[in-house]
Amino acid sequence: MKEYKAVPMRDGYGNALLKLCAADPKVMVLDADVAKSTRTDWIKKEYPDHFLDMGISEQDMVGTASGMALGGLIPFCSTYGVFLAGRAWDQIRTTVCYNNLNVKLGGAHAGLSVGRDGATHQALEDVAIMRVLPNMTVVVPCDSLETEKATLAAAAYPGPVYLRFGREAVPVITDEDTEFEIGRARHVSGPELRNAGEIADAAIFANGPMVREAAIAAEKLAAEGITAAVYDLHTVKPLDEEALLAAAESAKVIVTAEEHQLAGGMGGAVSEFLSVRHPVLMRMIGVDDSFGESGSPDQLYDKYGLRAENIAAAARGALGR
Amino acid sequence: MTEERERLMAICRQVRSDIVSMIGKAGSGHPGGSLSATELVCGLYFGGILKYRPEDPEWEGRDRFILSKGHAGPLLYSVLARAGFYSPDEMQHLRELGSILQGHPHAERIPGFECSAGSLGQGLSVANGLAFAFRRTGHPGRVYCLMGDGELQEGSVWEAVMTAAQHHLDNVCALVDYNHVQLDDTVENIKALGDLCEKFTDFGWNAIEVDGHDVINVVEAYKIAEALKGAPTVIIANTVKGKGVSYMEGDPAWHGTAPNAEQLERALSDIAGGNGFEKYLEEDYDSEEEAPEGEVSPL
Ligand SMILES: Cc1ncc(C[n+]2csc(CCOP(=O)(O)OP(=O)(O)O)c2C)c(N)n1
Ligand SMILES: [Mg+2]
């Protein structure tokens, strides 16, 4: 297994914001008293006039950002995913999305990776409640470099965007040259099913830190003679329908993997689309209708079944192997 | 009174030691806001104010304590253990997989803990709801709710402030741990609270200001609050974040950082040596003459 350097994804968010502030006077960075955790304290230090710490007032932060967007600025609201998507949901729905405002939302410390802080801080529902909103774009990058690219892309992408990243340092599996485009699933390994004539036993769509687990799962499966195509489905909305249809046509089973509730997450989005457009055998990996709890991230990934082995087992099971 | 003060201060030292020890062992957690509210919560639980039965945590007749600033779980974890709700050994497992003592409190798991918390700005509404329930069922109990000063930046707190005043919920007693520090910086630098006493009284509350590290004054403030009828009361406790551990005091960096082994040792010796307590140990208090310093602003 190749060795990768581990970097927290929020570093990518901070790096992108530094670049954006250097280049564009319209960019504003807002935080709700967790600037040290989200890396927006880098902006506070380097570009204080681009930064506003709103205090422990998430709803006020999103409302203020909405006004800024109405005034032509490009605000990035930053706090933990639970409090951003959760606490300010109605502001995000009615003010940001109904007005289709150019407000960007950076949801940090999402998923189980918050570890010891426990269930109250582990956002496992944020993708569901963000993706259900009209006009919203939802992006879940897989490592710090992809987070940086996603953040830069979000600034240039019109309308509301929710970016989601975890707390722990995760292996940087992409490099500077890896392509990233909002709305386009990234081929990671195995057959590229979008090319005519390519087929696979399984197609695995993963996002966030689960992309690496999916790649490991595919290697395990390959050793058993099962071919798997792996995609980084970083954009949960709008879905890459072309990639999903190609996979549904060219693979016997589709497996999704995410650090989120099974209900309403990326797997749910894939299933909503394919069950109507191209029904195919599916398996979903995620948290099964449960809150998280305190523990090390590794213990939690084991306990909640978010491992390469769980993905591989799901593929095997569906294939009857 | 000197004896009572000694007794309560010894409990506070024990609780502070528990707080830094369990967070040190866990390797993560929030010491600052647990240490600043120690006298507030110890005065309530051990000063004869709060009615509870450790052997029967669900006892109908109990008063309720709602911890709104859930990150101060370790303070309650120690207080409940020392009050006898469960074994102090549980504190060895703070933040571990399967522990009853989660990073932020999960009430279902903890005997004596009333309401899960960790998302700021929600507790006072819950306290109001309990107060309504008490009123409707003829329950004579009181409801206490501890909030941070940074937490008061949540708009929902002020929604609840207005609810309690509107309905004259005089069985509600809000506690503000006014330690002037939140996560990123001081409260003054982020979003200042201005004259907090006046804010509450303008909203129709009684407000009592107290030295939040003088445990006897804290207990007296609870008694005054209980006697005030017709409106809810807030106790604004002037405190120091990280109180009792010299290197943590007033420093935002210790909001959510665990001490390492060496720092823990220094913390424990500060606490045992009574850093900040000498004042009370040396002075001789006369119980008859002692009056609370609290300033009462009537309706
Ligand atoms: C709704 C919400 N927003 C943000 C946080 C993250 N957070 C936890 S503690 C804290 C600072 C709290 O400051 P304060 O209320 O002054 O508490 P204390 O000083 O008593 O520790 C923040 C921002 C949270 N837990 N909940
Ligand atoms: Mg504070």
Side-chain angles (χ1 to χ4, degrees):
Chain A
M1 182 64 31
K2 208 173 136 192
E3 285 291 318
Y4 299 100
K5 200 171 129 207
V7 179
M9 290 160 75
R10 54 198 155 132
D11 285 16
Y13 185 62
N15 283 328
L17 293 178
L18 285 173
K19 287 181 184 168
L20 289 168
C21 289
D24 189 347
K26 293 196 300 300
V27 170
M28 282 298 296
V29 177
L30 292 80
D31 205 296
D33 195 32
V34 293
K36 286 179 195 161
S37 308
T38 58
R39 296 292 190 250
T40 63
D41 61 339
W42 295 355
I43 310 304
K44 181 180 179 175
K45 223 169 120 210
E46 293 291 319
Y47 301 99
D49 60 325
H50 284 257
F51 180 76
L52 207 56
D53 198 327
M54 297 296 295
I56 313 173
S57 314
E58 295 79 10
Q59 302 176 48
D60 184 31
M61 170 170 69
V62 170
T64 305
S66 301
M68 288 177 170
L70 281 170
L73 302 181
I74 308 172
F76 280 77
C77 297
S78 330
T79 181
Y80 303 156
V82 258
F83 307 133
L84 183 55
R87 192 56 157 270
W89 189 82
D90 191 24
Q91 276 82 358
I92 295 173
R93 175 186 182 268
T94 302
T95 305
V96 175
C97 288
Y98 196 34
N99 289 304
N100 200 11
L101 295 180
N102 204 18
V103 171
K104 315 301 172 186
L105 307 165
H109 286 35
L112 292 172
S113 75
V114 198
R116 305 269 171 210
D117 272 336
T120 54
H121 285 53
Q122 294 161 349
L124 293 172
E125 305 81 12
D126 53 328
V127 170
I129 61 177
M130 289 293 101
R131 81 174 179 86
V132 77
L133 294 171
N135 289 332
M136 181 62 87
T137 293
V138 179
V139 183
V140 184
C142 70
D143 65 14
S144 63
L145 268 181
E146 195 165 88
T147 303
E148 182 173 336
K149 289 174 196 162
T151 307
L152 294 172
Y157 198 86
V161 180
Y162 180 73
L163 298 160
R164 179 201 214 225
F165 30 95
R167 176 180 190 279
E168 285 300 284
V170 296
V172 183
I173 56 175
T174 64
D175 60 36
E176 299 289 348
D177 300 326
T178 308
E179 44 125 1
F180 176 87
E181 189 190 324
I182 290 180
R184 183 172 163 80
R186 182 174 67 82
H187 177 248
V188 176
S189 65
E192 166 54 292
L193 302 174
R194 280 175 288 207
N195 295 339
E198 299 247 23
I199 55 162
D201 294 312
I204 307 173
F205 288 88
N207 64 19
M210 293 302 282
V211 173
R212 175 149 188 271
E213 298 292 328
I216 298 170
E219 285 181 24
K220 287 178 189 249
L221 292 169
E224 300 163 22
I226 298 173
T227 6
V230 178
Y231 289 89
D232 171 2
L233 194 61
H234 47 68
T235 307
V236 179
K237 187 180 180 186
L239 275 178
D240 184 344
E241 300 186 353
E242 184 205 340
L244 289 172
L245 286 173
E249 271 159 26
S250 314
K252 294 175 195 147
V253 52
I254 288 184
V255 181
T256 59
E258 63 196 308
E259 200 178 328
H260 187 274
Q261 301 286 356
L262 288 173
M266 175 267 278
V270 169
S271 142
E272 284 161 15
F273 173 68
L274 286 179
S275 62
V276 173
R277 291 289 297 277
H278 197 303
V280 59
L281 194 56
M282 269 192 76
R283 291 290 182 272
M284 286 158 59
I285 297 294
V287 175
D288 190 4
D289 196 21
S290 157
F291 282 108
E293 62 187 300
S294 290
S296 74
D298 274 339
Q299 286 173 327
L300 297 174
Y301 293 145
D302 285 344
K303 173 162 180 183
Y304 291 88
L306 302 181
R307 289 299 197 189
E309 186 42 45
N310 304 104
I311 300 172
R316 271 186 222 113
L319 290 164
R321 303 280 277 271
Chain B
M1 200 52 115
T2 311
E3 227 169 77
E4 176 65 353
R5 180 183 295 279
E6 289 291 332
R7 184 184 71 82
L8 287 170
M9 280 170 51
I11 295 173
C12 289
R13 280 195 293 273
Q14 174 71 65
V15 167
R16 283 199 165 87
S17 305
D18 287 345
I19 291 165
V20 293
S21 301
M22 74 176 109
I23 293 174
K25 173 144 197 299
S28 66
H30 305 81
S34 275
L35 294 169
S36 57
T38 298
E39 281 80 8
L40 270 180
V41 176
C42 288
L44 194 58
Y45 275 81
F46 301 110
I49 303 295
L50 197 81
K51 296 185 189 68
Y52 59 91
R53 290 181 181 165
E55 70 288 356
D56 183 12
E58 310 272 293
W59 170 48
E60 280 291 319
R62 71 194 189 278
D63 292 327
R64 306 297 164 94
F65 176 77
I66 301 295
L67 179 69
S68 189
K69 54 166 197 164
H71 60 282
L75 167 57
L76 255 290
Y77 297 164
S78 165
V79 164
L80 293 176
R82 298 298 165 190
F85 282 93
Y86 46 80
S87 162
D89 293 344
E90 296 290 349
M91 291 187 277
Q92 298 287 321
H93 304 293
L94 173 71
R95 294 179 161 245
E96 283 176 11
L97 191 69
S99 171
I100 67 166
L101 305 182
Q102 295 283 296
H104 290 77
H106 186 203
E108 263 184 1
R109 301 180 190 230
I110 314 167
F113 205 101
E114 303 288 353
C115 186
S116 302
S119 179
L120 295 167
Q122 304 190 12
L124 190 57
S125 300
V126 178
N128 288 344
L130 271 163
F132 275 118
F134 279 8
R135 180 184 279 178
R136 200 171 169 77
T137 57
H139 191 298
R142 291 178 59 74
V143 188
Y144 297 87
C145 173
L146 174 62
M147 295 179 285
D149 46 3
E151 181 177 8
L152 299 189
Q153 293 161 351
E154 287 288 1
S156 55
V157 170
W158 299 96
E159 297 172 22
V161 164
M162 285 191 273
T163 299
Q166 176 71 25
H167 299 280
H168 309 286
L169 298 177
D170 54 13
N171 47 354
V172 167
C173 182
L175 319 174
V176 176
D177 181 1
Y178 204 177
N179 61 25
H180 299 273
V181 175
Q182 48 192 96
L183 190 154
D184 278 336
D185 203 341
T186 62
V187 175
E188 278 67 25
N189 280 343
I190 301 246
K191 207 145 131 178
L193 298 172
D195 188 333
L196 200 49
C197 226
E198 204 170 308
K199 276 202 167 70
F200 273 95
T201 52
D202 279 353
F203 274 106
W205 284 55
N206 303 305
I208 303 174
E209 236 184 305
V210 67
D211 173 350
H213 296 307
D214 182 331
V215 70
I216 291 296
N217 266 347
V218 166
V219 171
E220 291 303 317
Y222 285 131
K223 291 180 185 161
I224 294 171
E226 188 161 1
L228 291 170
K229 297 298 171 201
T233 298
V234 61
I235 295 178
I236 298 169
N238 293 310
T239 57
V240 174
K241 197 148 173 169
K243 179 70 179 179
V245 178
S246 53
Y247 62 88
M248 290 188 185
E249 290 188 357
D251 184 354
W254 289 101
H255 165 75
T257 310
N260 63 27
E262 181 262 332
Q263 289 162 334
L264 176 57
E265 213 166 292
R266 271 201 288 149
L268 289 171
S269 92
D270 278 0
I271 291 165
N275 174 298
F277 298 91
E278 300 87 344
K279 179 177 138 203
Y280 306 120
L281 290 172
E282 282 159 20
E283 283 173 37
D284 193 20
Y285 283 85
D286 183 331
S287 61
E288 293 301 292
E289 280 172 21
E290 188 168 324
E293 281 162 26
E295 166 200 327
V296 183
S297 321
L299 269 178

